[in-house]
Amino acid sequence: MNGNNGDSVWNPSLRKTMGTLSTLGALETGFLTYVKLFSDSADLCGTNGGCGSVLNSPYATIHLGEGLDVPLAALGFLAYSTVAVLSLTPVLASSSSQEGNDGEDWNRIGLLALTTSMASFS
């Protein structure tokens, strides 16, 4: 299905770019999650609006029950981290071994499904 006979990873430069961008997204949303859960204000957000006003909006959390609110940034962190793992794992695995890429097609499908859902819900 991938047409490469198991001898290389599909588009390694694109995967590295996706891994880099998703790692940056995970760092940002991880910071925002930390600020939402453990801090009253973000010093890096500034005083006039910025991420402080976004983190305190009624849409910043998902209410799951009595006393259980999940910051929306935590879901972003989970999504970005998953994209980073899905995009970088085949590149790192291919550099350490030259065995067939049996999971390459499933990895690409998962990556496509996750990034499409991220774009749809953003």
Side-chain angles (χ1 to χ4, degrees), residues 86 106-121:
L86 285 175
W106 288 109
N107 180 281
R108 288 171 58 186
I109 291 169
L111 196 54
L112 175 65
L114 181 59
T115 54
T116 300
S117 65
M118 287 173 70
S120 298
F121 289 108

Side-chain angles (χ1 to χ4, degrees), residues 42-66:
D43 294 332
L44 298 175
C45 290
T47 57
N48 297 336
C51 60
S53 61
V54 172
L55 288 175
N56 295 319
S57 79
Y59 305 107
T61 58
I62 298 174
H63 184 68
L64 297 178
E66 188 64 35

Side-chain angles (χ1 to χ4, degrees), residues 13-72:
S13 63
L14 178 61
R15 283 185 175 270
K16 290 176 186 176
T17 302
M18 289 176 67
T20 301
L21 292 175
S22 59
T23 300
L24 291 174
L27 289 172
E28 178 186 16
T29 54
F31 168 74
L32 292 175
T33 301
Y34 175 80
V35 168
K36 179 69 177 168
L37 292 175
F38 303 111
S39 178
D40 292 334
S41 65
D43 294 332
L44 298 175
C45 290
T47 57
N48 297 336
C51 60
S53 61
V54 172
L55 288 175
N56 295 319
S57 79
Y59 305 107
T61 58
I62 298 174
H63 184 68
L64 297 178
E66 188 64 35
L68 184 59
D69 293 331
V70 176
L72 199 56

Side-chain angles (χ1 to χ4, degrees), residues 63-85:
H63 184 68
L64 297 178
E66 188 64 35
L68 184 59
D69 293 331
V70 176
L72 199 56
L75 298 178
F77 175 76
L78 180 65
Y80 279 120
S81 298
T82 305
V83 170
V85 169

